[in-house]
Amino acid sequence: MITGLRTREPLGFTKFIEIIQQTAAKKGSVFFLDCKEGHEQVKNGLIASDCSGWLVPAEEAEEFNAEYMDFSECDCWDKYFAWETWYEDENGELKIDVSVV
């Protein structure tokens, strides 16, 4: 299973999460999905969706993941709650924005 997911998802959405993880890595972080928030479309075999979750600094990701996989995140992680949104640029390329609320 891919880091940041705790449930089995369709391949198209898993590939989309991999792109979110690449974007998060550029910020020195890992994205952990809480839920899909809508704006869902199939684009080039990907299932794109706006999502909420946590954008956790890479150095804290292992600790967070242990709680995340047990569905036992404490309120101390709220400072990393984030939104991910996607859009297409003028060339039709998929772009991702993920940032802490």
Side-chain angles (χ1 to χ4, degrees), residues 4-96:
L5 290 178
R6 54 184 162 199
T7 58
R8 185 173 294 255
E9 298 290 340
L11 181 60
F13 186 70
T14 300
K15 288 183 177 186
F16 181 70
I17 289 291
E18 289 173 354
I19 296 170
I20 294 172
Q21 294 299 13
Q22 292 168 7
T23 302
K26 291 176 186 173
K27 296 181 174 202
S29 299
V30 178
F31 182 77
F32 293 86
L33 177 70
D34 184 31
C35 65
K36 298 174 189 172
E37 298 290 346
H39 185 218
E40 189 169 286
Q41 292 183 24
V42 176
K43 296 285 182 186
N44 300 323
L46 300 173
I47 301 172
S49 180
D50 291 345
C51 301
S52 60
W54 297 267
L55 188 62
V56 178
E59 61 273 8
E60 297 178 57
E62 188 174 329
E63 179 184 357
F64 180 84
N65 191 54
E67 293 181 33
Y68 175 78
M69 293 306 286
D70 286 337
F71 292 85
S72 62
E73 311 87 29
C74 79
D75 294 343
C76 62
W77 298 106
D78 287 353
K79 62 187 173 191
Y80 299 127
F81 197 75
W83 290 100
E84 171 276 325
T85 56
W86 70 271
Y87 62 96
E88 288 181 283
D89 68 10
E90 60 278 351
N91 297 319
E93 290 186 42
L94 187 75
K95 298 294 180 183
I96 305 283

